[in-house]
Amino acid sequence: MNARYPVARPRRLRRTAAMRRMVAGTRLHPAELILPVFVKEGIAEPQPVGSMPGVVQHTRESLRKAAHEAAEAGVGGIILFGIPAHKDARGSGADDPDGIVQAALRDLAADLGDALVLMTDTCLDEYTDHGHCGLLTAGGEVDNDATLERYASAAVAQAAAGSQMIAPSGMMDGQVGAIRAALDAAGFAEIPILAYAAKYASGFYGPFRDAAECAPQFGDRSAYQQDPAGPIGEALREVRLDLAEGADAVMVKPALAYLDILRQVRDLVEVPVAAYQVSGEYAMVEAAAANGWIDRERVIMESLVAIRRAGADMILTYWATEVARALS
């Protein structure tokens, strides 16, 4: 760069809103947004989630309405999390053909067709009575290899009910390969896998555990989710392993506190990269806005632009429908 002030004046390209729009290097589009939703078995009305203002545990009927609204706004996808009426040590509801997620999938598949992508979180924590993401050994540790069989069975049940993308989130070693093999064997070779490849044991998940009713009844998930201060390169190793096992896209979770990891993943891979703007990120903005401390709409958009700029092709956000409408 040869020119210097006063010849060089970067402010020239910031003078007007039209100028800023024209030269913008980062843009959001509704189709890049994915709406996480919670559907609960056995409730007659949607139940507000106290720690996530504006978010509810849906009935099957209210979920249909929310999905229609998302599709009409141009949202790219919707990802389902289920809360069953009954939980047990095996997480039996996860692969029950009549379980809450499978029933809701059939509703949405019939209603929406290809208007948006129907996605499912594939894990056991919402379904187990102990709240962990897998089966437990006699000593109370998560049994990695036994859990893979449950994930595979759940993924097949979801695909059979209409899921168009499977998203395993449990951070078990080998989960993508087990699910890919099971889907292929069951005749679902066309169903892609979005791997939660770099998922951290984060304090930002608290409100989600209220919404999904999945807080661990003992201990935490640090033995299988990644350590925020873990080894340099661990996230990229996890991503490479998932791709080698057949992942079609990968995810970083959480988003805003891990933009450095998101950038590293984007630079590494040639597949789509997603980032999950998690419940704690959502709740902090809503709480600060409710107290009049920040400009809510401005901060929502700024946070999403930051995630997009760091390299996300897709963003899971509880504001998906609202933001899609604003962008349109």
Side-chain angles (χ1 to χ4, degrees), residues 50-80:
S51 56
M52 298 180 71
V55 174
V56 302
Q57 295 173 326
H58 283 288
T59 65
R60 284 171 60 183
E61 194 57 38
S62 70
L63 176 60
R64 294 171 78 172
K65 181 175 183 293
H68 274 286
E69 291 173 351
E72 289 173 358
V75 169
I78 186 169
I79 185 167
L80 274 63

Side-chain angles (χ1 to χ4, degrees), residues 75-265:
V75 169
I78 186 169
I79 185 167
L80 274 63
F81 298 87
I83 304 111
H86 171 72
K87 301 189 180 195
D88 60 27
R90 296 186 68 255
S92 298
D95 59 346
D96 182 350
D98 297 317
I100 184 60
V101 163
Q102 282 71 258
L105 278 169
R106 288 191 289 271
D107 293 339
L108 299 183
D111 288 353
L112 298 172
D114 292 326
L116 47 65
V117 179
L118 296 180
M119 307 166 64
T120 43
D121 178 82
T122 306
C123 196
L124 295 183
D125 55 332
E126 300 109 300
Y127 302 96
T128 56
D129 52 11
H130 48 73
H132 278 283
C133 296
L135 304 184
L136 300 181
T137 66
E141 296 184 10
V142 173
D143 187 328
N144 189 98
D145 294 2
T147 297
L148 297 183
E149 297 178 14
R150 299 291 299 127
Y151 285 2
S153 182
V156 170
Q158 292 169 353
S163 179
Q164 298 166 330
M165 180 173 278
I166 302 296
S169 63
M171 288 300 287
M172 297 296 118
D173 295 338
Q175 64 184 15
V176 172
I179 289 171
R180 182 73 273 158
L183 290 172
D184 291 356
F188 297 112
E190 77 283 1
I191 300 297
I193 295 174
L194 167 60
Y196 285 67
K199 180 179 178 180
Y200 287 84
S202 172
F204 286 97
Y205 301 152
F208 174 93
R209 291 170 184 171
D210 296 338
E213 299 181 12
C214 64
Q217 298 303 298
F218 63 90
D220 59 26
R221 296 178 178 138
S222 298
Y224 41 102
Q225 295 177 357
Q226 287 179 240
D227 182 357
I232 301 298
E234 182 181 41
L236 300 186
R237 183 187 185 201
E238 291 278 6
V239 168
R240 290 188 184 99
L241 287 168
D242 283 351
L243 291 174
E245 292 175 22
D248 300 282
V250 295
M251 186 194 303
V252 175
K253 179 183 180 183
L256 206 56
Y258 295 86
L259 296 182
D260 58 328
I261 302 298
L262 178 57
R263 182 72 259 168
Q264 291 173 36
V265 172

Side-chain angles (χ1 to χ4, degrees), residues 275-296:
Y276 198 144
Q277 186 180 55
V278 299
S279 61
E281 299 173 61
Y282 174 93
M284 289 192 300
V285 172
E286 292 290 350
N291 280 282
W293 298 335
I294 60 172
D295 180 330
R296 177 181 178 276

